[in-house]
Amino acid sequence: MIRISILGTGNVARHLCHAFKAIDTVKIVQVVGRNEKALKTFGSLIDTTSDFTKILEADIYIIAVKDDAVLEVSEHLKGKRGLVVHTSGSVSLDALSPHERHGVFYPLQTFSQDRKVDMKSVPFCLEAHDEPDLGLLEQLSFKISSKVYIVDTDQRLALHLAAVFVNNFTNHLYHIGKEICDKKQLPFEILYPLIRETTAKVGSLSPNDAQTGPARRGDVETMERHMRQLEHSRYEGVYKILSGSIENLYR
Amino acid sequence: MIRISILGTGNVARHLCHAFKAIDTVKIVQVVGRNEKALKTFGSLIDTTSDFTKILEADIYIIAVKDDAVLEVSEHLKGKRGLVVHTSGSVSLDALSPHERHGVFYPLQTFSQDRKVDMKSVPFCLEAHDEPDLGLLEQLSFKISSKVYIVDTDQRLALHLAAVFVNNFTNHLYHIGKEICDKKQLPFEILYPLIRETTAKVGSLSPNDAQTGPARRGDVETMERHMRQLEHSRYEGVYKILSGSIENLYR
């Protein structure tokens, strides 16, 4: 039995709690958070507290709060013997070094309030100051996921950056696609199959080999027409730099 | 029975031919193309020719060639009574106006040589000079797809532009993500679940509501760190302009 405490009440805390609740060999000792209303949503079967002086003993303390609150929350764990980890992609391992036993437990996924996530497929990126603690984190991760990676801070920061490109920026491109459709009274759904196929390809073809389009072909005429279509719109610069970036790569 | 001829031997021609072959009420009269080797791959059950003076009579001629070859190929159809259509997202309807009966039959999808496409879900964007021909194209499209749209040239050009954003540019962002992973000896597969979830969200949440990340939050500290990570790399400018574009949208 691994006894865990979750500190935080946001999307990551909630999804982790939900996943661990289903595991017989993990006991959620406590969920700790300032927000009492949010704590209530964890249900009556889970022990919760908003009083940071009443944190119970646990084997692992999982700090699942915003990046800039990790340090502050971790201070409430002074003197605890359990392993203290955070779930952030961009906070270093060392940030938790005041605790003898510290590590990182980073789920590389975007969690929304209203969407179920298949936790089994979420990659967990682990790091720990001591070897046995890394083993303990591995043990814990494999209980809810089949994808567990040992990733150091430098690698994790790179993943966090890569995630901005493939998730945040990609979503913004979808938004631009939607704006273009809206403007011409076209339903955005018309682009869904293309969006899905673009993503589905990733598993079977490297993005390098899958690249198509006017910039890939060096089709100046089409790019110029697209630029005229975008003239005076806020996305002219985005089109230009992405086309240029693709042209650079393949010429 | 609708008798069709396909002019071209590329990916679009091949996928259309494959889809129509399975339909009892469509007869593929001929596949016409310059490339004899490519013609052979269409199989012995289909009549093919590389001789453009031997084009047979058909109800619909589907020109599925590169944009800049559409006009030239269409000239071989002078005097034919059938409906002449092209499959291009960016060639105007008028380009085929030398033919009395002309239209557009544009499948909004990316077709690769080695990937099966579920044609049923491919949106077909139709346009025709005459109302009855539009009806004929609708009839034909619904035989292989359940998504059929009437789209004029102006709208189709917008779709073609939107497709560059959601397909070509998105794929490039995947490539950048892969490069970042490669550089730190991380397997690109680690990003697949995030990529899939980003896309899966599109159906249930508008991209506007789904937007997250440092630029959305106005998290200057994280953006500056990312910019330092990208310093002197070819993707610094891409990061900057996409972050700026998101910031602009939400501030």
Side-chain angles (χ1 to χ4, degrees), chain B residues 171-190:
Chain B
N171 184 75
H172 184 53
L173 295 182
Y174 295 163
H175 174 79
I176 296 175
K178 184 173 186 299
E179 267 198 27
I180 292 171
C181 285
D182 287 350
K183 223 172 147 181
K184 300 287 179 185
Q185 284 83 48
L186 289 158
F188 180 47
E189 297 87 71
I190 200 171

Side-chain angles (χ1 to χ4, degrees), chain B residues 40-111:
Chain B
K40 281 206 181 100
T41 65
F42 282 77
S44 57
L45 293 176
I46 299 223
D47 191 0
T48 61
T49 184
S50 61
D51 185 347
F52 283 78
T53 66
K54 294 195 173 145
I55 298 176
L56 302 172
E57 288 297 325
D59 298 316
I60 307 178
Y61 295 93
I62 301 174
I63 303 176
V65 299
K66 286 200 179 109
D67 292 359
D68 51 13
V70 169
L71 213 66
E72 192 196 325
V73 169
S74 77
E75 280 168 6
H76 296 290
L77 296 169
K78 261 183 197 157
K80 299 287 180 206
R81 284 177 308 173
L83 170 61
V84 177
V85 300
H86 68 66
T87 57
S88 164
S90 55
V91 176
S92 73
L93 172 69
D94 290 343
L96 295 177
S97 60
H99 302 273
E100 205 187 309
R101 296 175 58 200
H102 57 283
V104 181
F105 181 73
Y106 169 49
L108 179 47
Q109 184 52 286
T110 171
F111 297 99

Side-chain angles (χ1 to χ4, degrees), chain A residues 90 109-110 112 115 154-155 157 160 168 171-172 174 184 193 197 199 201 204 207 211 225-226 229 245, chain B residues 90 109-110 112 115 154-155 160 168 171-172 174 184 193 197 199 201 204 207 211 225-226 229 245:
Chain A
S90 55
Q109 185 52 286
T110 171
S112 319
R115 280 185 61 83
D154 187 46
Q155 288 177 312
L157 289 174
H160 189 256
N168 304 151
N171 184 74
H172 184 54
Y174 295 163
K184 299 287 179 186
E197 173 66 10
T199 299
K201 259 190 197 174
S204 60
Q211 189 65 57
R225 193 187 57 244
H226 284 164
Q229 286 177 259
S245 183
Chain B
S90 55
Q109 184 52 286
T110 171
S112 319
R115 281 185 60 83
D154 187 46
Q155 288 177 313
H160 189 256
N168 304 151
N171 184 75
H172 184 53
Y174 295 163
K184 300 287 179 185
E197 174 66 8
T199 299
K201 259 190 198 176
S204 60
Q211 189 65 55
R225 194 188 56 243
H226 284 163
Q229 286 175 259
S245 182

